[in-house]
Amino acid sequence: MEIIKCENLQKIYQDNGVPVHALKGINLTINKGEFTVIAGPSGSGKTTLLNLLGALDKPTEGTVYFNGEVLYKKKRRELSRLRLENFGFVFQAYNLIPVLTALENIEFSMMLLGIPEKERREKAITLMEELGIAELANKRPNEMSGGQQQRVAVVRAIVNDPDVVFADEPTANLDSKTGDNLLNLMQEMNEKKQITFIFSSHDKQVMERAKRLLILKDGLLEKDN
Amino acid sequence: MLLRLAWRNIWRNKRRSLIVIGSVIVGVIATILMDALQNGMIHQMLFNQINLNVSNVQVHKKGFKDKKDINNFISKPAKVETIIKNQPHVKFYSKRVITFGLLSSTDNSSGVYIYGINPSQEKSVSIISKSIVKGKYLDASDGREIVLSKALAKKLNVTIGDKVVGMANTPSGSIGSDVFRVVGIFKTASSEFDKTTVFIPIVSAQQMLNIPGKIHEFAIITDKYENADIVSKALQKKLGKKYEALSYNEILPLLVLQMDLYKQLLIIVNLIIALALIFGIINAMLMAVYERIREIGVLMAVGMKNSKIFSMILIEALIIGVLGTIFGIIFGYGINALLLSGGIDLRWFAESLSSFGVGAIIYPKISLENFIQIITIIPLVSVVGAMYPALKAIRLEPVSAIRYV
Ligand SMILES: Nc1ncnc2c1ncn2[C@@H]1O[C@H](COP(=O)(O)OP(=O)(O)O)[C@@H](O)[C@H]1O
Ligand SMILES: [Mg+2]
């Protein structure tokens, strides 16, 4: 079942007046439950594509559909809601709100949904225990290692039971063992909860895990398998 | 949680937040002290006038306030006195004969208001008896004695024991005159009052002016000065159209006007202080927003609505404003309390102050208006100042915010 689709997706940035053609026309369909990696060299447009699919940015040309609806016809407020309820994000770094503890960071998304304090606390603690990071609960981001921060970020991304999690080079700042653990975690979420994962990475370790691997080069899809 | 987030955000950059809070505190202290001084001075002017001769309520024959004519006397003082005596809130009263006349010594002469008074009554209504610097106050309702000010004594070149001649018109148009011995010399905070006012026993005044048993004024002190208007209105009603019962507000319209003007000035001063603070707050909040652009992007990415992000930034500024206001008020009142205990000694300016009827020592007095203005304007200004930075924050597209490193 198709969940995200894009047609002729193009993005042109203006870099001090110089146009940069970051995406040159991407056609892509992602089905529910996929574990997809978008790979490609640095500068090939991975982040740009992920941001467009995740409604964080607007395309210059082309359309993105989520569950059959056109994303960029929606108002800012509706997009906020969509990100809150249907999407989860894990960025390369600096994912967490520095003044909140790990537990509070995870609770934060649930708070935005209006879930009562007691309920969201219980859910956050349960998830942290399941994923073996319960001991981080009261630590602030600057008291955690990069790997620990990324794990908390993953939990935050999935806590509202989203349909899709976008992860932009989530392992780029991690050593391979930590990266492996993080990938295990996401794979588990994918299998258990049927959450669709879309990664970007130029990391072998990540590509090996992919159920579907897309190669992006110079703003165009080169390979899909 | 929004509140917790805002609170913690404030303390991320302790130094910057403390500087802003500090500037709010300084602003609040400045307005409190300025107000206390100014308001204290005006109140002192008012109370000085009240204590010198204005009292809280005056009763005259109709028209006396505007035309202090010898003929404008109260012909049946006993009847009026009974009404005043029975009026609630009246604490003290004093009967006065008042006329304008000429006071002469062998060396000089001066136009003065001659007050004929009953010393035992007058002591409760006016501070002159406590302002004697040489000699004594009057002690009987008759006798040819006079009390005048140090300034006037100097002008007439007289001292205790010397004789002066008082002269004034009588109702028939002839001149009444008498010789008085100087028994006391006073000095008040008002140089104007001092130059123009002398006191003699009431019976002697009635004799000199040929108005036996008549008086011009009842000067009344009420239990609380705020009750002056109630008492004057009640008395006016009971006394009828032939009399005028006036509260100090009506007798000192210029001072009352000055108080009103001051209240408006206070608003302007507070707005100026607020304007100064608003730039500090805009600046600090802009820096706070720019520092956190990436984080704001993350907040947007996880689905925080713009309106929430906006309020988060406003709440941060509000907390800063409220903290500054609270501590500013605590310090401001504290400093004020220290000053209040002794008053502010402005003896160096005593000369010029006394021409305004203010003593050399000012007792600061914080006005309620200022307190209300502080606790509304400052927090409001903080929020208003944060609006522009908050708008900047939510105008960002989430992705450009995240990219911003
Ligand atoms: N905001 C931007 N302004 C200008 N150029 C940009 C911007 N974002 C990305 N680019 C350019 O677009 C191209 C694709 O970037 P990106 O999507 O970040 O690639 P990747 O994530 O694969 O490294 C690069 O050439 C990059 O320099
Ligand atoms: Mg990238």
Side-chain angles (χ1 to χ4, degrees):
Chain A
M1 199 178 72
E2 127 186 356
I3 187 160
I4 287 185
K5 191 170 95 177
C6 67
E7 285 172 351
N8 184 31
L9 204 57
Q10 296 192 33
K11 181 74 184 180
I12 303 173
Y13 292 111
Q14 294 299 328
D15 190 4
N16 291 323
V18 182
V20 180
H21 217 139
L23 293 181
K24 296 174 178 164
I26 306 279
N27 294 297
L28 177 65
T29 304
I30 308 263
N31 288 316
K32 196 164 167 47
E34 274 187 12
F35 199 76
T36 300
V37 176
I38 302 168
S42 183
S44 57
K46 304 183 295 295
T47 298
T48 305
L49 179 57
L50 232 49
N51 287 342
L52 290 176
L53 298 181
L56 291 175
D57 200 5
K58 290 191 175 76
T60 315
E61 195 74 47
T63 325
V64 177
Y65 301 91
F66 172 71
N67 282 335
E69 286 182 58
V70 178
L71 273 191
Y72 298 101
K73 280 191 179 156
K74 292 180 185 286
K75 298 197 182 83
R76 279 187 85 141
R77 185 139 49 86
E78 292 169 324
L79 290 177
S80 265
R81 194 79 197 163
L82 186 80
R83 289 195 292 264
L84 179 60
E85 289 179 355
N86 304 99
F87 293 168
F89 294 89
V90 181
F91 304 105
Q92 185 175 334
Y94 309 112
N95 270 294
L96 303 178
I97 305 304
V99 294
L100 300 181
T101 63
L103 183 67
E104 288 166 340
N105 262 288
I106 292 167
E107 271 188 61
F108 192 75
S109 308
M110 290 190 275
M111 180 213 61
L112 293 177
L113 261 187
I115 295 171
E117 182 158 358
K118 203 169 157 241
E119 196 184 325
R120 64 181 193 233
R121 177 135 311 166
E122 272 169 20
K123 185 168 180 189
I125 291 175
T126 312
L127 269 173
M128 291 183 92
E129 277 168 357
E130 267 178 40
L131 302 172
I133 52 168
E135 78 280 2
L136 301 177
N138 293 318
K139 290 200 169 157
R140 298 246 181 129
N142 63 3
E143 300 163 332
M144 292 186 259
S145 72
Q148 290 173 325
Q149 288 186 39
Q150 289 305 73
R151 284 162 160 268
V152 175
V154 170
V155 176
R156 185 193 59 194
I158 57 149
V159 76
N160 281 345
D161 300 316
D163 300 305
V164 189
V165 170
F166 300 90
D168 190 8
E169 312 214 22
T171 59
N173 293 340
L174 306 181
D175 62 58
S176 65
K177 186 160 174 290
T178 319
D180 228 32
N181 281 335
L182 193 75
L183 286 165
N184 286 340
L185 177 64
M186 293 198 272
Q187 208 163 349
E188 200 182 318
M189 291 294 114
N190 172 250
E191 280 157 13
K192 262 198 202 159
K193 306 202 174 191
Q194 282 302 299
I195 297 174
T196 310
F197 276 83
I198 307 177
F199 291 85
S200 86
S201 186
H202 54 255
D203 189 342
K204 274 250 163 50
Q205 191 186 5
V206 180
M207 294 188 231
E208 282 163 7
R209 300 276 194 128
K211 291 182 190 155
R212 180 179 175 194
L213 185 64
L214 305 168
I215 308 280
L216 201 59
K217 204 175 171 192
D218 289 337
L220 283 170
L221 268 185
E222 198 171 63
K223 205 162 121 196
D224 184 354
N225 51 22
Chain B
M1 196 164 204
L2 208 57
L3 205 68
R4 202 185 317 164
L5 190 59
W7 174 259
R8 291 192 193 157
N9 278 334
I10 290 172
W11 301 113
R12 280 163 90 157
N13 194 325
K14 280 205 192 71
R15 189 180 346 160
R16 184 175 60 219
S17 296
L18 285 177
I19 287 173
V20 182
I21 292 173
S23 68
V24 174
I25 291 176
V26 170
V28 170
I29 292 176
T31 155
I32 287 179
L33 293 186
M34 187 226 63
D35 168 63
L37 197 64
Q38 195 71 22
N39 191 48
M41 209 185 286
I42 291 182
H43 270 83
Q44 203 169 335
M45 270 155 92
L46 181 68
F47 288 127
N48 277 343
Q49 296 292 330
I50 287 176
N51 292 335
L52 285 177
N53 65 337
V54 170
S55 72
N56 295 140
V57 178
Q58 295 180 358
V59 173
H60 313 125
K61 189 182 175 202
K62 181 97 198 152
F64 183 80
K65 177 186 151 248
D66 296 323
K67 193 159 181 272
K68 299 208 167 28
D69 192 301
I70 179 81
N71 284 305
N72 269 337
F73 51 72
I74 297 171
S75 39
K76 290 174 188 145
K79 191 189 112 193
V80 177
E81 189 169 357
T82 313
I83 291 174
I84 291 172
K85 247 187 201 159
N86 293 326
Q87 172 62 39
H89 301 304
V90 169
K91 205 165 150 202
F92 303 113
Y93 65 88
S94 176
K95 286 179 278 192
R96 291 168 174 171
V97 168
I98 302 170
T99 193
F100 192 76
L102 193 70
L103 196 66
S104 311
S105 67
T106 47
D107 289 350
N108 208 343
S109 61
S110 190
V112 290
Y113 280 105
I114 300 169
Y115 275 64
I117 50 137
N118 175 338
S120 61
Q121 283 183 344
E122 190 69 15
K123 273 179 188 165
S124 314
V125 197
S126 131
I127 54 158
I128 300 303
S129 63
K130 296 181 196 81
S131 309
I132 300 292
V133 292
K134 210 169 170 190
K136 64 174 180 81
Y137 191 56
L138 299 174
D139 45 23
S141 295
D142 55 6
R144 300 287 182 267
E145 297 186 331
I146 191 165
V147 169
L148 45 74
S149 74
K150 198 172 161 188
L152 196 58
K154 194 176 167 199
K155 183 178 176 193
L156 297 177
N157 194 20
V158 293
T159 182
I160 303 290
D162 288 350
K163 288 191 169 132
V164 291
V165 178
M167 260 192 289
N169 277 322
T170 66
S172 64
S174 62
I175 302 282
S177 82
D178 244 320
V179 178
F180 298 90
R181 199 163 49 86
V182 177
V183 295
I185 290 174
F186 66 83
K187 185 173 188 311
T188 74
S190 168
S191 55
E192 189 57 33
F193 178 89
D194 281 11
K195 272 181 232 157
T196 59
T197 320
V198 302
F199 297 89
I200 60 174
I202 189 164
V203 175
S204 312
Q206 288 163 339
Q207 285 169 359
M208 178 177 97
L209 299 169
N210 197 21
I211 47 167
K214 311 283 193 266
I215 64 159
H216 292 103
E217 178 172 280
F218 281 94
I220 298 168
I221 296 291
T222 51
D223 49 5
K224 278 187 271 169
Y225 81 96
E226 292 94 338
N227 284 332
D229 282 316
I230 303 174
V231 170
S232 68
K233 290 211 176 75
L235 285 177
Q236 183 70 66
K237 216 167 151 190
K238 288 177 192 161
L239 292 165
K241 274 196 245 126
K242 282 187 177 163
Y243 295 90
E244 58 187 23
L246 305 166
S247 77
Y248 68 89
N249 283 316
E250 297 159 287
I251 299 160
L252 298 167
L254 272 177
L255 256 182
V256 174
L257 178 74
Q258 198 171 352
M259 278 180 127
D260 286 347
L261 280 177
Y262 166 67
K263 280 171 193 169
Q264 288 168 30
L265 180 78
L266 183 67
I267 295 178
I268 294 170
V269 168
N270 280 338
L271 287 178
I272 291 171
I273 289 177
L275 198 68
L277 291 180
I278 210 169
F279 287 109
I281 287 167
I282 290 175
N283 183 46
M285 293 312 294
L286 265 183
M287 293 200 319
V289 164
Y290 279 125
E291 270 174 14
R292 298 199 325 246
I293 280 188
R294 169 144 195 131
E295 189 181 322
I296 290 167
V298 172
L299 290 173
M300 287 173 164
V302 301
M304 192 170 185
K305 272 187 303 196
N306 279 351
S307 57
K308 276 235 168 86
I309 294 176
F310 191 80
S311 3
M312 178 185 78
I313 293 167
L314 294 197
I315 290 173
E316 284 175 31
L318 182 66
I319 293 175
I320 286 177
V322 167
L323 282 180
T325 306
I326 292 173
F327 284 105
I329 286 177
I330 292 173
F331 292 143
Y333 275 61
I335 294 171
N336 187 55
L338 286 179
L339 297 176
L340 190 67
S341 59
I344 305 169
D345 195 338
L346 295 178
R347 211 163 306 165
W348 282 17
F349 308 108
E351 209 59 36
S352 51
L353 283 172
S354 73
S355 51
F356 293 108
V358 181
I361 296 185
I362 308 284
Y363 295 93
K365 184 172 157 69
I366 297 164
S367 67
L368 184 66
E369 286 89 350
N370 193 38
F371 180 77
I372 292 169
Q373 281 173 30
I374 291 169
I375 61 169
T376 50
I377 293 178
I378 309 279
L380 189 76
V381 155
S382 314
V383 172
V384 170
M387 284 198 173
Y388 173 66
L391 263 180
K392 280 241 139 183
I394 62 168
R395 286 238 181 89
L396 295 164
E397 287 289 334
V399 64
S400 54
I402 292 163
R403 268 205 160 268
Y404 198 103
V405 196

